[in-house]
Amino acid sequence: MLKLVQKFLQINRYSEIKNEFKDLFLSHPNYPSLFAITDSLDLLSVENAAVRVSKEQIVDLPSNFLAYFKDELILVEKAKNFVRINTIKKGSLKLSYEKFLLDWNGVIVAIEPNNVIARENLKVEYSWLKYTLPLVLVTGLSFFYNTYDVFSLIFLTTSILGLIVSVFIVQEKLGFKNSIISRFCNLSSNSSCNSVINEKEVIGNKWISFSDLPLIFFGSSLIAILVQPLQSAIFVGFLSLLAIPVIVSSIWIQKFEIQKWCVMCLAVSALIFTQSAIWFASDLFTLSFSFGEMFPFLFAVLILIPIWSVLKTMIKNILDSESSLKEMKKFKRNYSLLNFLSKKVPYTDDFEDLRGLNFGNRNAAVKLSIIISPSCEHCHKTFQEAFDLVLRFPDKIFLNVLFNINPENVENPYKAVVERLLAINRATPGKTVEAISDWHIKKIGLKKWLKKWHVDSVSIMISQEIQKQYEWCSKNNFNYTPIKIVNERVFPNEYELSELKYFLNDFVEETQVLEKKIA
């Protein structure tokens, strides 16, 4: 399902947020539901709609959309006389409109295409270049220093192809999914690379598993041939012949025990069989090898095994950590848990009468109030996170910035910052954002800020407002900053304020339920 939605995002030019969507979607409490998809898209500010339409309206639908077809989520791409559907189980299929409409239940998810064209092709090309350029350079260097004939060229080519397939096998084993390879691995109902590769190991231990052997073999073969082409190719051919029983055993297991074919495993088998057949049929066939002819391959094996063992362990640890982190995020994003940890503000009397700095939609379902102090370092981050939320979700969040500072403390130099911010907000509200941003986001410093934001005088009303806010905080024992209040409940310290975005739809839904009860 994840791959389908990511492809959907890519088609609509949202490639840059595919990974961010993955994190949000996999850690969503309702994963893998339709709501988890739309909620994650909402958090990424991607305009989307999940609706049920009549089948006659298909001509008016976008050129691509997600839909439910035979109770399975699919990606639909419309053409003139047919639709192409991408499914999780069967890959890409081409259907007539009549056949598609027969099993489509009318539910779709559509998104607004991204008008900012991302440099997708350049990124893909750079990605391939990053991995192939070192190989090309090393191969070119080998051609410069060594002499290749047809025999060694064939073994060089098959070793490179074998190494590429081996990397894909290891990726599948470790859990990395490649859409192109997945398509090849599931060509029919009898093929499944995942079932074969992740079958209980016949050979191996915690350091080297059976699925690692092709990577070690072809990697060592490639290194040896690049160092000493002809002699190493002959030795690799001999080893390929010795590997025939392993190939036969692998095919037997796939055919009769697992009863599934691994396309990539068969490709490796074919390459090894090709190498052994060419070596056996050539004039270079021999069973006698000197240590000098075997040394490049054996040296490469001794180097690759410990390197790959350590690298694989590191990759597994990273993947395990990511998996644990996703589970923790999913647990933390439970709205019931947030509600449980959120404590009601003890005294809400006169709270609505406090006049702070306001940003966003006053009618928003989420009323966020932050109580900060200009001398508090942590308040800089709190304000920035709160302001970023308003900028990102202006229709859903209303921000009220209040201050907790003792107005009678004349020795506090930062009191002037609060006085001037409130004065600027009253006299020239259009400059409030710049003034508070200079202090909490740009952090230009007290002296420079006071010089830039000079006011003629501070009215009595401003002083009274600061006093009211200070007394309200004292009454609630808010003797620290920052304080974060969402809909009259203290936002728990166990959460970063930026994580409020995960619960916006929950707050909206809760507000709507309360409004219906009142009505």
Side-chain angles (χ1 to χ4, degrees):
M1 182 180 289
L2 173 63
K3 294 294 180 184
L4 282 180
V5 184
Q6 286 184 318
K7 185 175 181 180
F8 183 43
L9 290 171
Q10 185 172 343
I11 291 172
N12 288 280
R13 301 190 293 274
Y14 287 105
S15 291
E16 293 180 353
I17 62 170
K18 285 197 301 183
N19 291 333
E20 196 174 351
F21 173 82
K22 177 182 177 181
D23 291 338
L24 291 172
F25 181 55
L26 294 180
S27 64
H28 199 282
N30 299 104
Y31 168 83
S33 66
L34 186 65
F35 173 67
I37 294 175
T38 56
D39 195 33
S40 299
L41 291 173
D42 284 339
L43 292 174
L44 293 169
S45 301
V46 177
E47 289 291 331
N48 68 90
V51 293
R52 184 184 293 274
V53 298
S54 64
K55 296 186 178 183
E56 292 77 15
Q57 289 181 285
I58 189 166
V59 292
D60 301 319
L61 294 179
S63 59
N64 58 82
F65 52 88
L66 297 174
Y68 272 98
F69 183 79
K70 294 182 178 178
D71 297 323
E72 179 187 0
L73 188 70
I74 63 168
L75 172 59
V76 181
E77 296 178 76
K78 289 167 52 181
K80 187 175 181 180
N81 299 316
F82 63 90
V83 294
R84 185 175 300 280
I85 67 171
N86 292 274
T87 68
I88 300 168
K89 299 175 182 176
K90 297 182 180 179
S92 180
L93 298 172
K94 188 175 172 182
L95 298 176
S96 65
Y97 274 92
E98 291 77 15
K99 193 170 182 180
F100 170 71
L101 292 173
L102 193 64
D103 293 304
W104 171 46
N105 67 358
V107 173
I108 70 158
V109 177
I111 63 175
E112 187 72 26
N114 187 6
N115 293 323
V116 180
I117 300 174
R119 301 178 181 178
E120 296 170 9
N121 296 332
L122 182 62
K123 286 189 176 183
V124 172
E125 289 173 8
Y126 176 73
S127 179
W128 278 101
L129 188 65
K130 183 171 63 175
Y131 295 110
T132 57
L133 187 59
L135 179 61
V136 171
L137 290 175
V138 173
T139 305
L141 196 63
S142 177
F143 272 90
F144 182 77
Y145 282 103
N146 300 301
T147 302
Y148 283 82
D149 58 8
V150 176
F151 182 80
S152 53
L153 277 174
I154 291 173
F155 273 77
L156 176 66
T157 304
T158 51
S159 296
I160 291 174
L161 291 173
L163 181 61
I164 293 170
V165 176
S166 301
V167 169
F168 287 136
I169 289 175
V170 169
Q171 282 185 337
E172 189 74 21
K173 179 68 178 178
L174 292 174
F176 293 100
K177 299 299 180 184
N178 185 302
S179 57
I180 298 174
I181 298 302
S182 296
R183 199 172 296 174
F184 280 107
C185 284
N186 298 284
L187 289 172
S188 69
S189 58
N190 294 324
S191 60
S192 173
C193 295
N194 184 63
S195 299
V196 177
I197 292 170
N198 290 294
E199 180 69 9
K200 186 177 180 181
E201 300 286 0
V202 180
I203 302 173
N205 53 43
K206 69 175 184 176
W207 301 108
I208 297 295
S209 64
F210 190 75
S211 57
D212 297 329
L213 295 181
L215 181 70
I216 300 297
F217 176 76
F218 284 112
S220 301
S221 299
L222 179 59
I223 293 172
I225 292 169
L226 290 174
V227 173
Q228 193 173 275
L230 184 58
Q231 293 87 343
S232 295
I234 296 171
F235 184 61
V236 168
F238 168 69
L239 293 177
S240 296
L241 186 66
L242 294 181
I244 293 297
V246 180
I247 292 174
V248 173
S249 173
S250 172
I251 293 173
W252 175 274
I253 292 170
Q254 292 177 61
K255 173 67 177 174
F256 297 105
E257 294 188 16
I258 304 176
Q259 296 182 346
K260 291 282 185 181
W261 292 108
C262 169
V263 178
M264 291 190 291
C265 304
L266 294 176
V268 166
S269 301
L271 289 168
I272 292 176
F273 181 79
T274 300
Q275 288 183 336
S276 61
I278 292 172
W279 172 78
F280 188 76
S282 70
D283 297 334
L284 301 171
F285 173 77
T286 179
L287 298 175
S288 176
F289 300 96
S290 66
F291 180 74
E293 291 170 329
M294 297 186 295
F295 178 75
F297 183 90
L298 296 176
F299 179 76
V301 170
L302 291 174
I303 292 294
L304 284 179
I305 287 178
I307 290 175
W308 172 240
S309 298
V310 173
L311 189 61
K312 186 173 75 168
T313 303
M314 290 173 61
I315 293 172
K316 282 185 174 180
N317 289 338
I318 292 170
L319 291 175
D320 289 343
S321 299
E322 288 181 351
S323 178
S324 299
L325 185 61
K326 284 171 186 172
E327 289 301 315
M328 186 194 74
K329 283 182 177 178
K330 189 180 293 187
F331 173 75
K332 198 176 181 183
R333 286 179 60 182
N334 190 311
Y335 186 60
S336 300
L337 176 65
L338 178 75
N339 261 339
F340 175 76
L341 294 174
S342 301
K343 305 301 180 185
K344 192 166 179 63
V345 175
Y347 301 100
T348 56
D349 298 342
D350 304 325
F351 182 64
E352 293 293 330
D353 297 330
L354 301 179
R355 296 289 177 262
L357 312 180
N358 299 327
F359 308 94
N361 176 19
R362 287 186 176 274
N363 298 317
V366 179
K367 303 290 194 300
L368 169 63
S369 298
I370 58 171
I371 303 173
I372 56 179
S373 168
S375 58
C376 164
E377 284 293 323
H378 297 294
C379 295
H380 296 318
K381 182 184 177 184
T382 298
F383 172 76
Q384 183 155 13
E385 288 181 345
F387 195 66
D388 286 344
L389 284 169
V390 174
L391 290 177
R392 196 166 180 182
F393 307 100
D395 296 329
K396 293 183 177 181
I397 299 177
F398 173 68
L399 172 62
N400 185 26
V401 180
L402 302 171
F403 300 95
N404 187 3
I405 189 167
N406 187 350
E408 296 178 2
N409 185 4
V410 293
E411 295 181 1
N412 186 353
Y414 296 99
K415 187 177 76 165
V417 176
V418 178
E419 291 173 339
R420 294 189 186 188
L421 281 173
L422 293 175
I424 291 166
N425 188 57
R426 282 179 180 267
T428 53
K431 294 183 178 181
T432 304
V433 172
E434 185 184 354
I436 196 169
S437 297
D438 279 347
W439 182 257
H440 284 294
I441 297 176
K442 295 181 180 178
K443 304 174 189 175
I444 65 175
L446 182 61
K447 188 175 180 181
K448 191 175 179 180
W449 191 91
L450 292 175
K451 184 179 180 181
K452 180 178 179 179
W453 298 103
H454 174 74
V455 295
D456 294 332
S457 61
V458 177
S459 67
I460 297 176
M461 292 179 64
I462 298 294
S463 300
Q464 289 174 342
E465 181 59 42
I466 296 173
Q467 182 70 38
K468 280 171 60 179
Q469 293 182 20
Y470 175 71
E471 288 175 354
W472 187 87
C473 289
S474 297
K475 187 165 60 173
N476 283 283
N477 290 321
F478 292 153
N479 301 316
Y480 56 93
T481 54
I483 302 289
K484 294 155 279 188
I485 300 171
V486 180
N487 292 2
E488 297 187 353
R489 296 180 72 89
V490 179
F491 194 72
N493 291 325
E494 289 82 1
Y495 289 82
E496 294 289 334
L497 187 56
S498 58
E499 293 177 299
L500 177 61
K501 64 185 178 183
Y502 299 136
F503 306 100
L504 294 181
N505 287 334
D506 295 297
F507 277 112
V508 170
E509 187 177 338
E510 186 179 67
T511 303
Q512 289 173 346
V513 170
L514 288 173
E515 288 176 350
K516 285 181 180 178
K517 286 182 178 179
I518 294 171

